[in-house]
Amino acid sequence: MHQEDFILQMRNVTKKFPGVIALSDINLDISRGKVHAIVGENGAGKSTLIKIISAVYPYGQYDGEYIYNGKELKLHGIRDADKAGIACIHQELNLVMDMSVMENIFLNEKPTKYGFIDFDQMYAETEVLLKQIGMDGLINPEEKIRNLGIGQKQMVEIARALAKEVAFLVLDEPTAALTEAEVDILLGIVEMLRNKGVTCVYISHRLDEVMRISDEITVLRDGEKIETRKRADMSKDNMIQLMVGRALSNLFPRVVHTRGEKVFEVRNYSVSHPDISGKKLIDNVSFDVFQGEVLGFSGLMGAGRTELFTAIYGAFREKGKGEVYLKGVPFKVKSVTEALEQGYVIISEDRKRYGLNLRMDIKENTTLAALRKISSRLGFLNEDEEVKVTRAYIESIRIVTPGVDTCVANLSGGNQQKVVLAKALFCEPKIVIFDEPTRGIDVGAKYEIYKLINDLVDKGVAVVMISSEMEEILGMSDRVLVMADGRITGEFDISEANQEVLMTASVPGGSGDALERSKYKLEER
């Protein structure tokens, strides 16, 4: 290929942090008008690389050459990247929550008329952009961002990039929080952009998406480029082996569990919708959780899975009504603290917001939820015991860190999730709710999280796993419950579950053999 065939070439790019080489001598060629996927484990250097590409780390903060459209480019900030037609949609969405959709799309370049903002033109142009990405009629240009779902917010970010007439778009984990239907829409948009000649760099842990959408794939490992191949020359197994440096014979460590006694019971549980009078968010739900099993909760986004368990936890805006029993004892809590003390623990899907204090170190996060266990009767913290406990968890669940004093914000996503798990284990739980336990985590770290889930089951802890990844539900669960519109619409032993059966039960008002079989089971109980 000739140099003019490449829109971006990086030569000998190195990025160092104190004590760490995040990127080492990276050479990368991105073909014009193609979708180039970048994959690798957490800590491989993907985020650092895209921050250099999008000028979050500007010229002078890294070594090496950045050649764009055949010329060396020295970007001194994000505005320079915008001017060059380079945009990045980061995993942590960068939107102003109290502004409208159209105000966010035209945040820095609002159309004006006679020196004043032209809201009519802004509205009209927003409608055009939303239509381009298939969101016309689904997103109101005047709606506040905070009122949108995560998938809609992602689409607003894409519309904002299109408004800048972007030539080079980086998408960082764009589908991490999307439903399968929303993923299809987003991948369709990426295909549309490619057809228009826009170059896309696509970063994702979802390797099936990478195989579906990319033209070329680059694998990073430990800050180094391992290999770049055309998609036709790369299989999913190839990718995994290049990413982790070894072959994983099975993505899911399937263990034969033996079901034991009933640990958790929920009967006729309902939760009112916090914003819509008379509507139930959770509608008369009943189920059991047993020792010795992983109970998977499947369903589309908005089905009510997270709201159900956070309401029981005492952390939802509305209180639930119904009967709940933990180890046969009525479970009634007024606060999260009471829930933790009784052994009910949730590992949130949003670990950075609800699972960790990013300003604290590993030992502080590990013991935060049960400080009484390492405190004197007078309330004084035993710091030596805190260090001892944390070191034990670092060793037992294999947290990769220089030491107990490392700030959790500096850990990879997989290791952050392990710290959240350590905090949960320190509470000595009877039941643990894993809500999207591997979201934003690489394939190697996922495998370790799955093994830790199995370890918990073996120790007699009841485990519920909420996941939007069908493959994960089928790979780890012993029994699966499906929710739709706040109701349980299906219950399946893993031996009779498959993607078609679960999806049929996930669709509100769905029907078919799968739903009828599960309905019979629910009525039988």
Side-chain angles (χ1 to χ4, degrees), residues 339-355:
L340 291 171
E341 288 175 348
Q342 293 186 48
Y344 180 100
V345 175
I346 291 182
I347 295 180
S348 171
E349 62 179 329
D350 190 345
R351 60 179 173 266
K352 292 186 177 181
R353 186 175 179 185
Y354 297 117

Side-chain angles (χ1 to χ4, degrees), residues 227-285:
E227 195 164 341
T228 296
R229 294 185 192 173
K230 293 187 181 300
R231 179 185 57 181
D233 300 327
M234 179 84 81
S235 70
K236 187 175 174 181
D237 288 342
N238 292 152
M239 261 193 291
I240 292 171
Q241 188 163 356
L242 291 169
M243 285 167 61
V244 302
R246 64 189 187 280
L248 291 179
S249 58
N250 192 338
L251 294 179
F252 302 98
R254 171 64 71 182
V255 173
V256 178
H257 297 133
T258 302
R259 192 159 94 171
E261 66 178 10
K262 188 184 298 182
V263 175
F264 197 64
E265 302 174 62
V266 176
R267 293 289 176 267
N268 307 315
Y269 198 82
S270 297
V271 180
S272 297
H273 197 292
D275 301 313
I276 304 174
S277 179
K279 179 178 173 61
K280 289 184 178 179
L281 197 59
I282 307 298
D283 189 4
N284 200 38
V285 164

